[in-house]
Amino acid sequence: MEDRQNNAPSHEKARSLAKRLEFGPAPFIVGLVVALVFGWWIFPELLFSRQDQPVQFSHETHLKDASLDCSVCHHLRADGTFDALPSTKDCAVCHSQMLGKSEAERVFFNEYVKKGKEVDWKVYQKQPDNVFFSHAVHSLATCNNCHEFSERELCSTCHLDMASSKKPPVFRENRISGYSQNTMKMWQCEACHANPNHLGSTNASNACFVCHK
């Protein structure tokens, strides 16, 4: 009788353990799936805001229909610095009057050309203030000493390929840092600078102070 009483707690523990193991690995798997969904989809949506460009600019219209080159609007200045965004005055060379009847053209002409106001374009790949990047060093003339890039191929190596876009992609800004989701990361730069199997060795120094000031 005493043996049965002494064994009772052991049986209770065994039954309790069996209950806990009744569902097997299911709770772990469900938890893992929830964590992955939150980390890959929900958290990025919360972290990055979605913003449209002030003007729905069509690169396809300007490159294909108007037969312009990228360098007409994005080019090196005489002093070697890069003019990334054309001014409203530059655009008004062609848009001194409304061209077509699209809503984007109406907005640009009435709100910017007529008022002499600059478009507050949202830059997809603006680098942090502590990063130094020279477009002159990465120009078509320099890179084509070893490669045979077209203008579009070279630009799209680092930038979004906008040549065939009819409207700008949504601009996604990090709510914490204020930088674009498309801002280049160091490993992307190293794809050329430190990986000779990608585009060949650039013989560029990878010392921190070369790019970080």
Side-chain angles (χ1 to χ4, degrees):
M1 191 72 178
E2 290 181 3
D3 289 341
R4 289 179 182 175
Q5 289 176 346
N6 291 335
N7 289 335
S10 298
H11 290 310
E12 289 297 327
K13 287 181 181 179
R15 281 197 292 270
S16 177
L17 179 61
K19 270 189 175 179
R20 287 199 296 270
L21 297 176
E22 184 176 355
F23 296 103
F28 171 77
I29 294 174
V30 171
L32 178 63
V33 170
V34 170
L36 291 175
V37 169
F38 181 82
W40 284 345
W41 287 287
I42 298 177
F43 180 71
E45 288 299 318
L46 295 175
L47 181 61
F48 292 96
S49 65
R50 298 171 63 88
Q51 304 172 32
D52 290 326
Q53 293 287 358
V55 177
Q56 292 300 296
F57 181 88
S58 171
H59 277 82
E60 183 183 67
T61 297
H62 290 77
L63 293 173
K64 184 179 178 181
D65 299 341
S67 301
L68 299 178
D69 293 325
C70 302
S71 56
V72 171
C73 298
H74 315 287
H75 56 270
L76 291 169
R77 301 184 183 95
D79 63 358
T81 57
F82 191 65
D83 190 4
L85 299 171
S87 66
T88 299
K89 184 178 179 181
D90 293 331
C91 298
V93 171
C94 294
H95 294 266
S96 57
Q97 296 181 345
M98 279 191 63
L99 302 177
K101 299 180 180 179
S102 70
E103 177 64 14
E105 176 69 12
R106 186 194 66 77
V107 169
F108 177 67
F109 183 77
N110 290 330
E111 297 299 321
Y112 296 96
V113 176
K114 288 177 69 174
K115 296 179 180 180
K117 179 182 173 183
E118 296 299 328
V119 181
D120 185 20
W121 296 108
K122 303 178 188 304
V123 181
Y124 294 103
Q125 288 179 304
K126 181 179 179 180
Q127 293 299 310
D129 293 336
N130 68 333
V131 174
F132 171 76
F133 179 87
S134 169
H135 274 88
V137 174
H138 299 81
S139 67
L140 196 65
T142 301
C143 292
N144 276 6
N145 283 327
C146 300
H147 306 285
E148 293 183 5
F149 287 120
S150 67
E151 192 172 61
R152 176 178 175 178
E153 288 171 338
L154 178 62
C155 295
S156 61
T157 299
C158 299
H159 294 277
L160 298 173
D161 187 358
M162 307 286 278
S164 58
S165 66
K166 295 183 178 179
K167 65 178 182 177
V170 172
F171 177 80
R172 294 170 63 86
E173 182 181 76
N174 188 304
R175 298 179 192 274
I176 298 173
S177 69
Y179 290 111
S180 165
Q181 187 181 38
N182 296 108
T183 296
M184 286 189 69
K185 313 302 186 291
M186 191 164 69
W187 64 265
Q188 292 172 294
C189 299
E190 289 178 338
C192 293
H193 281 255
N195 183 2
N197 295 322
H198 181 56
L199 290 174
S201 175
T202 61
N203 294 319
S205 172
N206 281 317
C208 300
F209 62 82
V210 173
C211 298
H212 297 280
K213 304 297 183 182

